[in-house]
């Protein structure tokens, strides 16, 4: 049988699984939130499978130096840069970058250097870079710390609206998840607060253990792969949620917590060594926030978007070989289809 390429591998919606209670956005990506752009820089050769992914809100300008944001920590075994100021001030001041664990500090430094050269920052003496990470050491020579200024510049320069590359790209090039090759995934949902429609989008970097479930159907790697994938190192997940709803930072913290909860829907075991983080931000112009009692649709939509993004990160990933012969195996799509059909799976819940 001819091998399925990265571009041909299906997303969840292409497997006939419905969106659940809330409809998908037009692109079904975080870029459905107007002004949010995504870019990648990828390193993939016989020694490295790694890179950087940039989430760039156009609403960050010299005139508007921050956006309301919040951080939720599912388990704090991670190297996230900029966390304390993000929590203290409830705002992001920079694009959000995702990368490899030991490269996080190089990426943060490169991001600051890039921003200081931009118009409006001629007199800047303090800025809080936000960089998240997971450990791709199973499939990449992580101690070399190969991600740096060149890749940061490439990811920022390539950031665009529209469809988002998924799977083995950018920060997801060398990650594994739920027994399979993992990576970058994205999805979105449309939900209303009161009578006003809004969009919520998610992008994930998956690198954690557990047994995969798709629309509630078990997809155990031990049964579906001829040999085990490389063992996941670091056992972590980064989730970024964007919305055009005018939420304040306290409300965004509630959204971010729901994003972490969504990991259980795909079978995460929340191992003690995990670094599970979700960052949520709003692109809306500053206005009075909605009432808390009206937020439930957005909470549910967030969990659906994150769950689908996590599934897409596995479905879209392709087999990668790392140092010392380690392999991260792609999930077999034909077997996924067979199991979904046998279970009569139709919707996310």
């Amino acid at each position: 049988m001819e091998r399925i390429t990265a571009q041909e591998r299906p997303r969840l919606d292409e497997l006939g699984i419905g969106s659940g209670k809330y409809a998908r956005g037009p692109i079904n990506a975080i870029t459905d939130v107007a002004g949010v752009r995504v870019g990648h820089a990828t390193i993939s050769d016989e020694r490295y499978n790694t890179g950087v992914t940039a989430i760039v809100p156009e609403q960050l300008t010299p005139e508007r130096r921050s956006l309301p944001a919040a951080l939720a920590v599912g388990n704090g075994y991670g190297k996230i840069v900029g966390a304390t100021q993000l929590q203290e001030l409830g705002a992001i001041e920079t694009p959000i970058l995702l990368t490899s664990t030991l490269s996080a500090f190089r990426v943060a430094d490169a991001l600051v250097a890039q921003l200081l050269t931009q118009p409006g920052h001629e007199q800047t003496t303090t800025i809080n870079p936000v960089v998240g990470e997971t450990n791709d050491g199973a499939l990449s020579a992580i101690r070399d710390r190969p991600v740096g200024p060149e890749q940061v510049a490439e990811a920022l320069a390539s950031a665009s609206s529209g469809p988002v590359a998924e799977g083995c790209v950018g920060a997801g090039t060398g990650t594994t998840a739920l027994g399979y090759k993992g990576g970058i995934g994205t999805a979105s949902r449309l939900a209303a607060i009161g009578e006003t429609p809004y969009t919520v989008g998610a992008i994930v970097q998956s690198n954690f253990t557990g047994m995969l479930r798709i629309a509630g159907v078990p997809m155990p790697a031990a049964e579906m792969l001829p040999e085990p994938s490389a063992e996941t190192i670091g056992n972590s997940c980064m989730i970024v949620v964007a919305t055009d709803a005018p939420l304040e930072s306290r409300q965004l913290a509630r959204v971010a917590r729901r994003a972490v909860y969504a990991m259980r829907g795909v079978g995460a075991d929340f191992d003690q060594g995990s670094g599970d983080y979700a960052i949520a931000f709003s692109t809306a112009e500053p206005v009075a926030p909605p009432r808390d009692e009206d937020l439930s649709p957005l909470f549910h939509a967030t969990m659906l978007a994150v769950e689908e993004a996590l599934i897409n990160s596995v479905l879209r990933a392709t087999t990668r070989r790392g140092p010392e012969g380690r392999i991260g195996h792609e999930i077999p799509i034909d077997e996924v289809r067979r199991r979904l059909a046998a279970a009569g799976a139709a919707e996310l819940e």
Side-chain angles (χ1 to χ4, degrees):
M1 179 182 293
E2 184 178 356
R3 187 174 180 273
I4 299 173
T5 67
Q7 294 305 309
E8 293 169 341
R9 292 180 66 83
R11 308 180 78 206
L12 182 66
D13 58 345
E14 295 166 332
L15 293 178
I17 301 300
S19 65
K21 186 175 181 180
Y22 299 97
R24 297 175 173 106
I27 302 172
N28 194 25
I30 192 172
T31 49
D32 280 321
V33 179
V36 176
R37 297 183 285 117
V38 174
H40 304 289
T42 300
I43 306 173
S44 187
D45 56 30
E46 68 280 355
R47 185 168 178 80
Y48 304 120
N49 286 292
T50 191
V52 61
T53 294
I55 300 95
V56 183
E58 292 179 351
Q59 291 82 0
L60 281 174
T61 67
E63 293 73 35
R64 189 179 183 192
R65 300 291 286 269
S66 67
L67 298 176
L71 172 69
V73 181
N75 196 62
Y77 201 159
K79 314 300 181 290
I80 187 169
V81 178
T84 55
Q85 186 172 312
L86 171 58
Q87 288 182 310
E88 182 73 13
L89 300 183
I92 54 170
E93 300 176 336
T94 73
I96 299 167
L97 270 54
L98 308 178
T99 192
S100 168
T101 297
L102 291 184
S103 291
F105 318 105
R106 297 193 69 211
V107 166
D109 182 71
L111 176 58
V112 170
Q114 282 271 324
L115 292 172
L116 290 180
T117 67
Q118 300 302 307
H121 285 286
E122 294 83 359
Q123 304 302 318
T124 295
T125 60
T126 178
I127 195 165
N128 187 49
V130 177
V131 178
E133 53 77 27
T134 71
N135 192 314
D136 55 18
L139 298 176
S140 193
I142 192 171
R143 286 173 56 87
D144 292 355
R145 302 199 299 157
V147 185
E150 179 181 347
Q151 289 74 35
V152 169
E154 179 183 343
L156 292 171
S158 67
S160 63
S161 57
V164 175
E166 298 173 286
C168 302
V169 65
T173 305
T175 63
T176 58
L178 300 160
Y180 302 101
K181 181 67 186 71
I184 297 294
T186 189
S188 68
R189 288 295 186 275
L190 309 177
I193 298 177
E195 300 299 320
T196 307
Y198 294 107
T199 301
V200 59
I203 190 167
V204 303
Q205 178 193 19
S206 62
N207 189 63
F208 57 94
T209 54
M211 186 182 73
L212 176 64
R213 294 195 299 268
I214 299 179
V217 180
M219 302 283 172
E223 296 178 8
M224 293 175 61
L225 292 177
E227 62 179 6
S229 282
E231 182 179 356
T232 298
I233 297 176
N235 208 342
S236 302
C237 186
M238 281 299 310
I239 305 167
V240 178
V241 176
T243 184
D244 54 6
L247 306 187
E248 61 184 6
S249 61
R250 180 185 58 81
Q251 294 172 324
L252 288 164
R254 302 184 72 197
V255 170
R257 284 195 292 273
R258 269 70 178 183
V260 175
Y261 301 160
M263 291 176 61
R264 185 58 185 157
V266 300
D269 59 11
F270 292 106
D271 186 86
Q272 76 84 27
S274 62
D276 306 316
Y277 299 91
I279 298 169
F281 68 91
S282 171
T283 62
E285 291 296 322
V287 295
R291 302 183 308 164
D292 284 344
E293 50 263 44
D294 293 332
L295 294 181
S296 291
L298 202 69
F299 292 161
H300 190 179
T302 296
M303 289 188 286
L304 288 169
V306 172
E307 182 174 346
E308 182 161 346
L310 290 166
I311 294 169
N312 283 338
S313 77
V314 174
L315 292 176
R316 296 281 283 171
T318 54
T319 297
R320 283 290 187 276
R321 296 178 180 271
E324 301 176 12
R326 294 186 292 270
I327 303 174
H329 291 284
E330 64 194 46
I331 192 170
I333 297 298
D334 287 347
E335 181 63 8
V336 171
R337 293 184 191 275
R338 188 192 71 77
R339 289 180 179 238
L340 290 174
E347 295 274 346
L348 293 180
E349 295 183 357

